[in-house]
Amino acid sequence: MAEKESSSVGVEQSVQSGLAVPSAGIYTLPEDILSFTPLDSNSDGVVQPFPRSPKLQRKIAKPGQPSREQLSRCLEELQAERSKTEAHIQSLKKRKADLSKSTEMKKQQVHECFENTRAILKQDEQAILDSLELDLKRTRTRLDQVLKNWKQHQDQVTKSISSTQRTLSNSCAEEEDGKVCADNLSPKKPDPSEKEIRLNEGRFERLLKTLSSICKNLKAQLQRKTLLLDSFPMVIDRQTCHSQITVMSQGQAMSFSGSARPALEHPLQFDKVCCALGSSPITAGQSYWEVDVRCCSAWAVGVAYASLQRKGRDKGAKLGRNRKSWCVELRNRNLWAWHNDRHVVCPGVGQTPLRKVGVWVNYNKGQLIFYDADTMAVLQKFSAAMTPVFDRAHHQFTEPLYPAIRFLKPPENQIWPNHLELCHLRTA
């Protein structure tokens, strides 16, 4: 009877709580499960079927404090990190101090090199001045001897004048004495050798010309020395060469041959334009190289993107006739600078034929300069600045650059050019 009452009470609670009453014969829910808090659909909080224990609630409300062992371990790690940081800072300070010392040592070495150069120049200057002074002394000695002879003649003339005046004043001059006076007054003619007594001006004029030439060459070499520090070991990429180009000297020289070499055509090869590219790209920093053009009567030297057209003979495959290449070009003894199918006459070219072309690239700043490598005269400068002929946008390089060389067809009265060579640059 008690069991029935308890079960009926449980059923009533289940009905009141909105739960379905299990049918008889299945099972009956335990009392503790049926006594949970009713669900409230309007409540925003998370409903739990069981009330949280006080310990769990305190743990959620306030995170547990780390233990002493954890704190000790964390302190040891922080102290170790501080020690590493201090050691690294000391290392950086030492490197900074060593950097200053190293710079001062290099400055001293540079100063000594230039002092030695100045000492040599001073010694040579003194030797030339001593030579000039010796020539002056020799000339003065000869002139002094001639001057002494003329002084003696002057004294004799003076004595003759005095004697003649005395004779006139006594009014008793005899015919014989007159003859003596006439002999004493005989004129003295200048010796033709006197005109040859002078400084050796021709010798010193030649010396001054030599010194001027040395000065210009020294100025060019001093300017060139900085570029040589950025020397670029350029080698011809055989896969890009036109079939009539023969590569020699381990990729350092190229010649034009009258017949095409028997080889399979490569996708990177120029098939119509007699051109070749270097094997190493320029992607950053500064680079400098030189091309010997003395044995070629018509050529183009420059740089190009790898995306330069390789097939056909239209402007897309010719250096300087598109946006993907820059060059200086010698044709019909005229030197031009080309880019984007526009050209200008290269300034600073002398009467003597160009022997070597220097190419300097500052990739990061978008600068490209062509030099006469002998005089270091600027042939043409391409930069990010606006120019009247070449537009600005394509001087900021957007792709890796490759050295480029092309053989051009010479005039009919000249033979076909046959040889171009890459210079082996040395900084010492």
Side-chain angles (χ1 to χ4, degrees):
M1 194 64 184
E3 293 176 0
K4 292 180 180 181
E5 290 177 357
S6 62
S7 63
S8 62
V9 173
V11 171
E12 290 177 359
Q13 292 177 353
S14 299
V15 173
Q16 291 176 0
S17 62
L19 294 176
V21 180
S23 58
I26 301 177
Y27 60 86
T28 59
L29 294 173
E31 184 179 355
D32 56 348
I33 297 179
L34 294 175
S35 62
F36 61 83
T37 305
L39 294 174
D40 187 359
S41 60
N42 296 327
S43 176
D44 295 334
V46 178
V47 179
Q48 297 293 340
F50 301 100
R52 295 185 183 276
S53 65
K55 184 177 180 181
L56 180 60
Q57 289 178 356
R58 287 195 302 270
K59 186 175 182 180
I60 295 175
K62 184 178 181 180
Q65 296 294 334
S67 64
R68 295 182 63 85
E69 294 180 358
Q70 292 175 338
L71 290 175
S72 299
R73 186 165 52 253
C74 181
L75 180 60
E76 291 176 357
E77 292 176 355
L78 290 175
Q79 289 176 345
E81 181 65 22
R82 183 177 65 180
S83 300
K84 291 180 181 179
T85 303
E86 290 177 352
H88 188 65
I89 291 175
Q90 293 299 325
S91 176
L92 291 176
K93 289 182 178 180
K94 186 177 182 301
R95 286 178 58 188
K96 182 179 179 180
D98 293 342
L99 184 64
S100 300
K101 292 180 181 179
S102 176
T103 302
E104 290 300 324
M105 290 178 59
K106 292 185 183 303
K107 285 183 179 180
Q108 183 64 27
Q109 292 174 356
V110 171
H111 179 72
E112 290 177 357
C113 288
F114 277 93
E115 280 295 329
N116 293 336
T117 303
R118 282 189 285 267
I120 293 173
L121 291 174
K122 190 68 177 176
Q123 182 180 359
D124 188 66
E125 177 188 8
Q126 190 61 45
I128 293 175
L129 293 177
D130 291 343
S131 176
L132 183 59
E133 187 68 24
L134 180 61
D135 190 21
L136 176 63
K137 289 181 179 179
R138 291 174 178 174
T139 304
R140 279 180 173 177
T141 301
R142 295 179 62 186
L143 284 176
D144 288 343
Q145 184 62 40
V146 173
L147 183 61
K148 181 180 179 180
N149 294 336
W150 280 98
K151 283 282 188 182
Q152 292 176 354
H153 177 71
Q154 183 184 28
D155 293 341
Q156 292 177 358
V157 172
T158 301
K159 289 180 181 179
S160 298
I161 291 174
S162 299
S163 176
T164 303
Q165 287 177 345
R166 287 195 303 268
T167 302
L168 289 174
S169 61
N170 293 331
S171 298
C172 60
E174 297 179 355
E175 185 177 356
E176 294 180 0
D177 294 332
K179 291 181 180 180
V180 173
C181 291
D183 294 338
N184 292 335
L185 291 176
S186 59
K188 179 177 174 62
K189 296 182 179 180
D191 193 335
S193 62
E194 293 179 10
K195 297 181 180 180
E196 300 177 359
I197 301 175
R198 63 181 65 188
L199 294 175
N200 195 344
E201 296 178 357
R203 178 175 180 271
F204 284 98
E205 286 179 0
R206 294 191 299 271
L207 176 61
L208 289 176
K209 289 182 179 179
T210 303
L211 291 176
S212 178
S213 176
I214 292 174
C215 182
K216 290 180 180 179
N217 185 55
L218 179 61
K219 181 180 179 181
Q221 293 302 318
L222 289 175
Q223 182 181 359
R224 183 171 176 263
K225 77 180 187 310
T226 304
L227 298 178
L228 290 178
L229 299 178
D230 302 319
S231 59
F232 180 74
M234 179 180 167
V235 178
I236 298 297
D237 186 355
R238 299 173 186 269
Q239 294 180 344
T240 66
C241 293
H242 184 270
S243 59
Q244 291 180 309
I245 293 178
T246 302
V247 180
M248 303 170 294
S249 302
Q250 299 180 348
Q252 295 291 318
M254 51 189 289
S255 296
F256 175 81
S257 56
S259 59
R261 65 178 185 274
L264 295 177
E265 185 176 336
H266 195 276
L268 299 179
Q269 181 183 13
F270 291 89
D271 64 343
K272 299 297 182 183
V273 179
C274 199
C275 187
L277 300 182
S279 60
S280 301
I282 302 170
T283 58
Q286 303 176 14
S287 301
Y288 178 76
W289 66 94
E290 294 177 355
V291 182
D292 192 329
V293 296
R294 287 177 292 179
C295 298
C296 189
S297 59
W299 46 262
V301 173
V303 295
Y305 291 150
S307 57
L308 181 69
Q309 181 178 323
R310 310 297 176 89
K311 308 304 178 182
R313 61 174 70 255
D314 57 6
K315 294 180 179 180
K318 296 179 180 179
L319 295 183
R321 304 315 195 270
N322 46 69
R323 294 179 181 270
K324 298 181 179 182
S325 59
W326 298 255
C327 75
V328 290
E329 178 179 296
L330 180 68
R331 189 191 296 267
N332 298 329
R333 297 184 180 179
N334 295 318
L335 193 65
W336 307 82
W338 284 85
H339 172 61
N340 195 22
D341 204 24
R342 300 179 182 180
H343 65 278
V344 294
V345 178
C346 292
V349 181
Q351 298 296 328
T352 57
L354 194 61
R355 300 172 67 248
K356 296 179 182 178
V357 177
V359 186
W360 181 78
V361 175
N362 188 329
Y363 188 90
N364 298 336
K365 293 186 177 181
Q367 294 180 343
L368 170 64
I369 304 178
F370 293 97
Y371 291 96
D372 179 344
D374 289 326
T375 64
M376 297 312 296
V378 176
L379 304 177
Q380 182 60 39
K381 180 178 180 180
F382 296 94
S383 67
M386 183 68 72
T387 60
V389 177
F390 304 111
D391 59 330
R392 174 178 180 176
H394 296 278
H395 297 156
Q396 292 291 352
F397 303 123
T398 57
E399 300 179 32
L401 284 174
Y402 289 83
I405 297 177
R406 180 189 174 193
F407 287 106
L408 300 177
K409 187 175 181 179
E412 295 181 357
N413 59 346
Q414 296 183 18
I415 62 172
W416 184 274
N418 61 353
H419 189 76
L420 291 170
E421 187 170 347
L422 305 175
C423 301
H424 180 67
L425 302 181
R426 296 180 180 178
T427 58

